[in-house]
Amino acid sequence: MSRYKPSGVKRRLSKALKSNSAVPAWVILKTNGKFRLNPKRRNWRRNDLKV
């Protein structure tokens, strides 16, 4: 990826980075294990971002 990035692309990349986290442990406890996985989880090798 290039070093220079337009601000729109940079913003979308940072949003994708933040949304790619696991479900917090306290949420799993609070929902009695109903929400264990983040359905929008993404791996950098397998899935492409359309930014």
Side-chain angles (χ1 to χ4, degrees):
M1 180 173 275
S2 62
R3 186 179 293 173
Y4 167 76
K5 293 171 193 65
S7 60
V9 169
K10 201 169 183 178
R11 196 168 58 237
R12 284 191 288 273
L13 284 171
S14 68
K15 185 180 186 323
L17 187 71
K18 283 186 275 186
S19 67
N20 196 33
S21 61
V23 176
W26 65 268
V27 172
I28 298 171
L29 288 169
K30 190 179 175 186
T31 58
N32 291 326
K34 280 196 173 126
F35 292 95
R36 284 182 182 271
L37 300 172
N38 179 0
K40 292 187 174 179
R41 201 75 202 266
R42 172 188 54 81
N43 185 277
W44 65 274
R45 263 195 201 274
R46 286 193 302 264
N47 305 93
D48 254 358
L49 284 174
K50 279 135 183 123
V51 291

